[in-house]
Amino acid sequence: ISYNPCDNIADARDLYRVNINVVKEKYNTLNEFYNWLDGLSIDDNMKLVLVMCRYGVPIKEISNVKWNDLDRENKELYVTIKDKLLQLPVDSEFVNRVDKALRCDETYSGKEYKDIGYMIKSLRAKPLSASGVYSLILKISEESNINRIDVNFLNKSRQLDLIFETVKKNGEIFTEEVGEIMEKLGVSNSPTQIT
């Protein structure tokens, strides 16, 4: 378009008002997420389930992630989704939470966790199923006396983290960059999703 009438708008905020409290109620920064997480009355193994959701691991894949899928040096977590290998970006705090879960040998319902190579330890000598992870999240909500945790929004929050990091670094973000972030996280980067 050769002429864009929006170019004459001095400050786009003059066109609308954003209720920051409404927006803030849904999205939490990683620091806010960790403060909330540490306030829950659950052990480190259970916390790791929520941490993995928050860093973009699809809930159906959480039970398949092994200790050796974490590249500590390059700060990447390798997750395979439908025969596609994703390299999810993580940080030092994620690695710290994985280490805490690795050391977690607390009893749960009078039984001890079994470490069979998967990040989320099980009570049996086999990994949790996807439905077992859903049940564990429900148990976390019940034990912590909070509303059911919205794991889809936890997952989407990672997309927002990476988008906000790009905006902070560059002062702006382009559609292509949003698409690259979505692709990196294994999310459909269709125009609807990008919007």
Side-chain angles (χ1 to χ4, degrees):
I1 300 173
S2 60
Y3 169 70
N4 185 349
C6 294
D7 288 339
N8 295 329
I9 299 172
D11 188 351
R13 289 175 289 194
D14 294 338
L15 297 176
Y16 57 85
R17 293 181 74 97
V18 175
N19 186 336
I20 293 172
N21 292 330
V22 171
V23 175
K24 192 73 180 133
E25 193 169 312
K26 269 292 204 182
Y27 172 75
N28 290 319
T29 65
L30 278 171
N31 286 338
E32 291 168 330
F33 166 74
Y34 282 122
N35 288 336
W36 169 79
L37 185 69
D38 289 335
L40 300 179
S41 55
I42 55 176
D43 63 48
D44 290 321
N45 186 61
M46 295 169 114
K47 287 179 183 179
L48 186 59
V49 172
L50 300 178
V51 170
M52 290 172 77
C53 285
R54 182 62 174 76
Y55 277 80
V57 179
I59 194 164
K60 292 179 181 178
E61 301 302 326
I62 287 176
S63 59
N64 299 324
V65 179
K66 297 182 177 182
W67 300 115
N68 60 1
D69 291 335
L70 176 61
D71 181 345
R72 293 165 179 275
E73 193 172 309
N74 295 314
K75 303 282 190 292
E76 291 180 326
L77 181 66
Y78 302 113
V79 178
T80 303
I81 303 171
K82 296 180 185 174
D83 297 330
K84 181 180 178 183
L85 180 65
L86 297 179
Q87 295 172 279
L88 301 178
V90 297
D91 54 24
S92 298
E93 186 59 30
F94 180 90
V95 174
N96 180 40
R97 298 298 173 139
V98 168
D99 289 340
K100 284 182 175 184
L102 179 60
R103 292 187 301 269
C104 181
D105 60 358
E106 296 182 28
T107 58
Y108 176 71
S109 300
K111 300 178 184 175
E112 289 185 26
Y113 288 124
K114 309 238 184 306
D115 183 358
I116 54 172
Y118 294 90
M119 282 192 185
I120 304 303
K121 296 177 183 177
S122 174
L123 298 175
R124 297 174 284 175
K126 63 180 188 174
L128 283 177
S129 63
S131 63
V133 174
Y134 279 106
S135 297
L136 188 55
I137 290 172
L138 186 60
K139 184 85 172 158
I140 290 169
S141 300
E142 290 171 356
E143 285 188 12
S144 299
N145 201 21
I146 58 174
N147 290 336
R148 188 172 170 206
I149 297 166
D150 184 350
V151 291
N152 290 328
F153 196 78
L154 276 179
N155 214 272
K156 189 174 287 280
S157 293
R158 187 59 178 160
Q159 297 166 33
L160 295 172
D161 288 340
L162 298 176
I163 287 170
F164 292 151
E165 281 177 23
T166 302
V167 170
K168 187 175 182 180
K169 185 172 116 185
N170 302 334
E172 60 187 358
I173 192 165
F174 296 98
T175 304
E176 298 81 29
E177 293 170 304
V178 175
E180 289 169 9
I181 289 169
M182 306 282 271
E183 188 174 329
K184 181 185 282 189
L185 296 174
V187 179
S188 166
N189 60 359
S190 68
T192 305
Q193 284 286 75
I194 290 174
T195 301

